[in-house]
Amino acid sequence: MDRTNEKRRGKLKEFWRRLRKNKSAIIGLILLCLIVFCALFAGVICNEDDAYRQDAHNRLQAPSSEHWFGTDMYGRDVFTRVMFGSRISLSIGISAALLSLLTGGTLGAVTAFYGGKVDDIIMRIMDMLMSIPATLMALCIVAALGGSAVNLFIAMSLSSLPEFCRLSRSAMLPIVGSDYVEAARAYGSRNGRIIFKEIMPNALGPIIVQTTQSVASKILTASSLSFLGMGVQAPQPEWGTMLSEARQYMRENPYLVLIPGLFIIITALSFNLFGDGLRDALDPKLKD
Amino acid sequence: MKKALSILMICVMLMGIFAGCTSQPAENSSSESGENSAGTSNEVKIYVESAINTLDPYQTVEYASCYVFNNIYETLIRIDENGDVVPWLAKDWTVSEDGLTYSFTIQEGIKFHNGEELKASDVAYSLNTAIASPAMSSYCSMMDSAEATGDYTFDLKLNTPYGALISMLQGLYIVNEAFYTANQPCYDVACGTGPYMLRDGSVDLNTSIIVDAFEDYHLGKASIETANFKIITDASTARIQLENGDLDFMMCYNVSDYQPLKDTGNFNTQLVQAPHTAYIALNLEKEPLNNKALRQALNYATDNESIIMIAYDGLAEPARALTGANSFGVDFSDATDYTYNPDKAKEKLVEAGFPDGINFDDYGIILEYIPGSYHEKIANCLKEEWSQVGIEISLRATESVDCAKGEHMMRTTGTDYKADMSYMAGKYASWNIGSQNYAFYKNDRVDEIFRICDASSDQAERAKLYKELTEIIVDDAPYIPIQHKEIPYVWAKGLNAKVYPSNECPYYVYEWSWK
């Protein structure tokens, strides 16, 4: 037992050493930490009421010491809204990616393990899902279920189900045929145990990378759906919703679209940079 | 060698891009001087804010369609800028003693676009078609039938006396009977007597409708040869087109664009007080909106001044009923004053039986709004203001809801009003439940006053009764009135344009010219 723990620690150390060497991954990680910090401590940094309180006499004010990012057309403080917006964007992005990881990952493992007819049926369904553009499908699902944060998250997880399923299947296929899985079978382990204990942990690398990068695309999709009025509904301070509301004022008050836009870019970029770094650090073929 | 070649290719491509960029401003430079970009100063390009559903004047009362109708069709009368009736296709008229029959004489020698002369039979056919059409009920509900009594005379019979009948005729366009019956459905063709006629093959209801001056127009051919109604559903795009000279005349659908455009000094601008009220339609059939004290609380909790600043850039007056004080008979002097008062709102909530506030989610009631316009901002303001006094409500964007059938619970919407209070029967009289009375509001005294006043021509008595009516409808608060807006217009410096204080007849291109 001690030996496996030690081995794991050694692996972790090796992984960290490789990640540290990658400058862009570290930048991504730092940005990511900053945004997570904003999301976690939004309530401490600013007062949640400010994100909703309207002030007709102080609307469309440029950034100042009192309102760091200015005020919007309702006289609400944009800084506070951006801070609380990070909560919504991050939670939708991460939870949607995790949900598709869980469902898609499990489906992929099942197809890889059982093969044959199960494989055929599930993969053909995935092919069908894949033939519909992800954003379009999410849009249709939200249109059918109604626009809200929860429906948005369901729609986005469903639309990225096939990519996770395919990825985990291809990552697990070689493992299914490996000697230690044969051994576990011979030993009499139940199928569920083999899938979750033997196969899945050994195929995690590519899946983790995919999940991280998927968070970025989820945040972008959520913002674009909200921008189209199909996602998080006003007056909630989702970044895409903020962009959409501010569009009309873009010419005279450009900061109203620049600021939430920048935050969307930074968040997506940091997840992508970090995801790239993860892939390089986890890929055994790239070892030094 | 390969490298040099690829660099050369990149240079060529970049040059192509820059060449593409520079040719654009060059094209537009002529438009800066007030001429339009087509080169001839005889075309005017007019912004239309939404797609036009049909060119059949009896199937729609939407503003966008009316902009075109006003230039290809004509009506029996017009309303001038002072609100006075001007005979137009009608020459004169008399009213029978019982007030149920109007006998009209029409102008002679007026030609339709197809060359036929306007006859009383065309007018009677037009009016009867309108009376039969559900879409026109707000204009025609009091009319029974029209009948030609000669080539140039006809009778219009009413089912109930109606004092303000003549002003209703402003919304009823006269078509050529033969053409209209032969071309059903007339959604993209038209034959009227107006100064402009549709250009063949130019009608695309989603992008543009081009009309050319009609040679035989009875007042002489129009000064502007061609009018192009450009349908642009994104208001920001419209503003850019106006600045580039691709539009000559624009109603600022984004009110926030008005001041910046005015500040440039490159345009003519005008604000017009339109007889229009933005309001919240409450469905009184739904629990607990049938609670009068609760409705009063909602009215007190609504800060109209702030809403107007946020939603309409301050270019509106707070409304106290669905009609403005400039309409005959409207007298607010003794009516309840719902000026924003959170304390009063809380008192009324207690009186209504909600001492701890109310969450409309518990009753399944949602405030629905028309997305994208100032209505969306009104809804957002209300949500925030109401929550200050303990009234919680959720919002939902919905494109179209049939309020007449009561599909709504609470919805932002708007209505025109007319120079006379009688028009408000549509919104407040119980016999209009199922059509215009979106509140499903019923008050016997209100019904009675509307009936007496419609039948009466004693203006002093009508004024007195309408004052009482005003007090009742304000106190009962079946709606939440928000604002009477001003409509901001912007047009090219070189264009002599004239606009009217009306939503459905804001302008007649015939009266315009290029300097």
Side-chain angles (χ1 to χ4, degrees):
Chain A
M1 202 65 195
D2 267 357
R3 263 186 63 199
T4 46
N5 260 349
E6 219 165 81
K7 211 173 157 192
R8 203 168 281 165
R9 220 174 289 145
K11 261 186 171 174
L12 213 65
K13 228 178 187 175
E14 167 72 8
F15 159 74
W16 176 239
R17 191 182 61 79
R18 268 133 69 52
L19 187 70
R20 231 179 7 189
K21 275 204 302 194
N22 189 338
K23 279 213 183 74
S24 56
I26 294 300
I27 294 176
L29 187 64
I30 292 172
L31 288 175
L32 198 60
C33 289
L34 271 176
I35 287 168
V36 171
F37 177 82
C38 289
L40 288 179
F41 296 102
V44 182
I45 305 169
C46 27
N47 181 358
E48 186 163 8
D49 284 348
D50 287 346
Y52 299 99
R53 193 191 307 119
Q54 299 171 355
D55 183 354
H57 298 279
N58 281 314
R59 56 197 292 266
L60 299 172
Q61 305 258 315
S64 64
S65 59
E66 196 184 343
H67 300 286
W68 290 359
F69 292 167
T71 58
D72 68 2
M73 48 280 167
Y74 294 95
R76 301 176 297 204
D77 183 54
V78 177
F79 178 74
T80 315
R81 289 179 70 73
V82 167
M83 289 294 114
F84 280 92
S86 62
R87 263 186 196 182
I88 300 177
S89 292
L90 277 188
S91 54
I92 290 182
I94 293 174
S95 52
L98 284 181
L99 186 69
S100 30
L101 165 71
L102 274 181
T103 47
T106 314
L107 276 177
V110 167
T111 51
F113 185 77
Y114 289 101
K117 270 197 180 140
V118 178
D119 186 24
D120 273 349
I121 292 171
I122 294 181
M123 288 322 285
R124 291 304 79 74
I125 294 175
M126 291 302 140
D127 286 345
M128 261 154 58
L129 283 179
M130 258 195 137
S131 64
I132 308 168
T135 312
L136 185 67
M137 187 154 112
L139 198 69
C140 293
I141 295 171
V142 175
L145 298 178
S148 76
V150 177
N151 291 343
L152 190 63
F153 139 79
I154 294 173
M156 287 191 317
S157 348
L158 255 180
S159 60
S160 63
L161 192 62
E163 52 184 274
F164 273 94
C165 182
R166 285 176 74 119
L167 183 84
S168 67
R169 176 175 176 271
S170 62
M172 290 175 198
L173 267 181
I175 300 171
V176 172
S178 66
D179 292 345
Y180 60 87
V181 174
E182 278 303 306
R185 274 201 182 129
Y187 185 71
S189 295
R190 270 173 308 169
N191 289 344
R193 193 189 147 80
I194 298 177
I195 292 177
F196 288 105
K197 286 274 173 180
E198 306 292 343
I199 302 181
M200 268 196 158
N202 286 298
L204 265 185
I207 297 175
I208 289 176
V209 173
Q210 171 74 15
T211 313
T212 322
Q213 291 185 332
S214 163
V215 174
S217 72
K218 292 287 172 294
I219 289 175
L220 289 178
T221 315
S223 295
S224 26
L225 287 180
S226 299
F227 181 81
L228 295 173
M230 302 300 284
V232 179
Q233 297 293 308
Q236 291 219 57
E238 206 274 337
W239 293 336
T241 314
M242 289 174 71
L243 270 185
S244 171
E245 282 185 319
R247 195 174 31 151
Q248 191 189 325
Y249 300 89
M250 188 163 60
R251 296 276 295 277
E252 275 71 40
N253 307 85
Y255 63 91
L256 279 181
V257 289
L258 280 179
I259 290 168
L262 263 177
F263 271 80
I264 295 175
I265 294 173
I266 291 174
T267 314
L269 187 72
S270 63
F271 271 104
N272 276 329
L273 288 178
F274 182 62
D276 275 345
L278 268 186
R279 190 189 52 210
D280 293 351
L282 285 173
D283 192 342
K285 286 182 204 120
L286 289 175
K287 237 173 208 171
D288 297 305
Chain B
M1 183 61 205
K2 252 187 182 168
K3 209 170 183 183
L5 204 68
S6 59
I7 289 174
L8 191 75
M9 288 288 282
I10 290 172
C11 286
V12 169
M13 277 153 88
L14 279 177
M15 271 164 68
I17 291 171
F18 285 120
C21 288
T22 47
S23 70
Q24 199 65 21
E27 230 173 74
N28 289 334
S29 59
S30 66
S31 61
E32 301 275 315
S33 58
E35 304 251 330
N36 55 39
S37 50
T40 61
S41 63
N42 253 333
E43 184 185 7
V44 61
K45 292 183 277 309
I46 300 167
Y47 164 58
V48 176
E49 69 273 15
S50 62
I52 289 173
N53 293 328
T54 173
L55 287 180
D56 182 336
Y58 309 123
Q59 294 305 325
T60 181
V61 289
E62 290 192 0
Y63 299 150
S65 304
C66 291
Y67 302 153
V68 181
F69 294 162
N70 289 324
N71 295 290
I72 53 179
Y73 294 115
E74 289 181 292
T75 50
L76 289 170
I77 58 107
R78 278 193 187 172
I79 309 279
D80 68 10
E81 55 266 58
N82 305 318
D84 296 327
V85 171
V86 181
W88 202 259
L89 291 180
K91 203 152 60 181
D92 50 51
W93 52 87
T94 54
V95 191
S96 67
E97 289 243 327
D98 59 5
L100 286 173
T101 307
Y102 284 68
S103 304
F104 288 86
T105 312
I106 58 167
Q107 308 265 13
E108 293 175 26
I110 288 180
K111 283 231 169 74
F112 279 110
H113 297 158
N114 63 1
E116 286 182 21
E117 196 194 352
L118 171 73
K119 293 282 171 58
S121 57
D122 293 306
V123 180
Y125 172 77
S126 301
L127 294 181
N128 284 327
T129 314
I131 291 166
S133 164
M136 307 303 290
S137 69
S138 58
Y139 292 102
C140 301
S141 59
M142 76 300 288
M143 298 179 196
D144 182 60
S145 64
E147 194 186 344
T149 49
D151 269 358
Y152 303 104
T153 54
F154 73 95
D155 286 350
L156 176 59
K157 292 200 169 59
L158 306 189
N159 44 35
T160 172
Y162 193 76
L165 178 91
I166 295 297
S167 63
M168 290 293 122
L169 299 173
Q170 189 192 19
L172 303 178
Y173 301 97
I174 305 303
V175 299
N176 180 276
E177 178 178 3
F179 182 89
Y180 191 80
T181 44
N183 285 285
Q184 278 300 323
C186 282
Y187 71 93
D188 62 350
V189 290
C191 179
T193 59
Y196 289 91
M197 51 197 289
L198 290 180
R199 182 186 289 179
D200 277 343
S202 81
V203 178
D204 177 347
L205 298 181
N206 288 309
T207 52
S208 144
I209 293 174
I210 299 172
V211 296
D212 292 317
F214 173 42
E215 294 286 341
D216 293 332
Y217 183 57
H218 56 95
L219 296 175
K221 198 183 162 198
S223 154
I224 287 177
E225 189 76 40
T226 303
N228 184 353
F229 294 91
K230 293 175 81 172
I231 295 137
I232 305 168
T233 44
D234 180 58
S236 313
T237 311
R239 175 177 167 189
I240 292 167
Q241 292 210 2
L242 181 81
E243 287 170 322
N244 288 341
D246 294 330
L247 276 178
D248 301 312
F249 181 90
M250 177 171 102
M251 184 266 277
C252 279
Y253 192 69
N254 275 350
V255 191
S256 56
D257 288 342
Y258 178 70
Q259 199 56 42
L261 283 172
K262 190 180 176 188
D263 291 344
T264 62
N266 295 334
F267 302 99
N268 292 306
T269 55
Q270 192 176 341
L271 284 169
V272 179
Q273 176 79 57
H276 180 276
T277 313
Y279 68 98
I280 313 296
L282 306 175
N283 186 339
L284 270 51
E285 304 259 281
K286 308 258 163 141
E287 191 85 34
L289 294 175
N290 50 6
N291 185 329
K292 178 171 149 186
L294 176 66
R295 297 198 301 267
Q296 291 176 326
L298 291 175
N299 272 281
Y300 277 119
T302 302
D303 183 358
N304 298 38
E305 302 270 355
S306 286
I307 293 177
I308 289 168
M309 269 205 271
I310 289 171
Y312 211 73
D313 274 43
L315 301 177
E317 290 292 318
R320 297 185 61 185
L322 298 201
T323 174
N326 53 353
S327 180
F328 175 81
V330 181
D331 184 347
F332 291 115
S333 52
D334 291 321
T336 317
D337 184 1
Y338 292 117
T339 306
Y340 180 56
N341 189 334
D343 297 329
K344 262 277 181 52
K346 283 177 191 156
E347 270 173 41
K348 284 285 174 191
L349 271 181
V350 175
E351 189 186 322
F354 304 100
D356 304 323
I358 175 171
N359 186 345
F360 277 110
D361 286 347
D362 300 343
Y363 298 89
I365 288 185
I366 292 171
L367 175 57
E368 293 171 306
Y369 60 88
I370 307 160
S373 66
Y374 60 87
H375 289 287
E376 183 171 343
K377 297 202 186 90
I378 291 179
N380 273 302
C381 289
L382 285 178
K383 179 182 167 68
E384 178 63 17
E385 284 167 7
W386 289 355
S387 80
Q388 306 279 334
V389 296
I391 302 168
E392 300 296 338
I393 190 150
S394 304
L395 305 182
R396 182 166 66 200
T398 43
E399 284 291 349
S400 69
V401 167
D402 195 344
C403 294
K405 292 206 182 86
E407 285 174 4
H408 64 302
M409 301 168 254
M410 215 189 258
R411 180 168 172 78
T412 64
T413 179
T415 178
D416 292 345
Y417 62 88
K418 301 265 183 257
D420 193 283
M421 180 79 165
S422 60
Y423 186 74
M424 277 297 122
K427 292 292 170 194
Y428 292 103
S430 67
W431 61 82
N432 281 312
I433 289 176
S435 63
Q436 291 285 304
N437 186 341
Y438 294 165
F440 291 75
Y441 169 66
K442 184 174 178 4
N443 181 313
D444 292 338
R445 180 62 184 155
V446 168
D447 288 356
E448 193 184 352
I449 294 177
F450 274 124
R451 284 194 204 282
I452 299 171
C453 289
D454 281 349
S456 164
S457 52
D458 176 355
Q459 293 297 51
E461 190 207 348
R462 292 180 81 224
K464 202 173 130 236
L465 283 167
Y466 277 147
K467 182 165 184 290
E468 183 193 340
L469 178 74
T470 312
E471 286 154 25
I472 299 173
I473 57 174
V474 172
D475 190 59
D476 277 349
Y479 302 96
I480 304 172
I482 304 290
Q483 64 174 22
H484 304 303
K485 66 180 177 187
E486 285 184 294
I487 302 180
Y489 293 98
V490 180
W491 65 89
K493 263 275 185 274
L495 181 70
N496 293 316
K498 184 178 178 191
V499 282
Y500 288 85
S502 164
N503 294 293
E504 65 270 45
C505 307
Y507 52 81
Y508 301 98
V509 179
Y510 183 76
E511 298 175 341
W512 296 0
S513 61
W514 284 101
K515 276 178 191 147

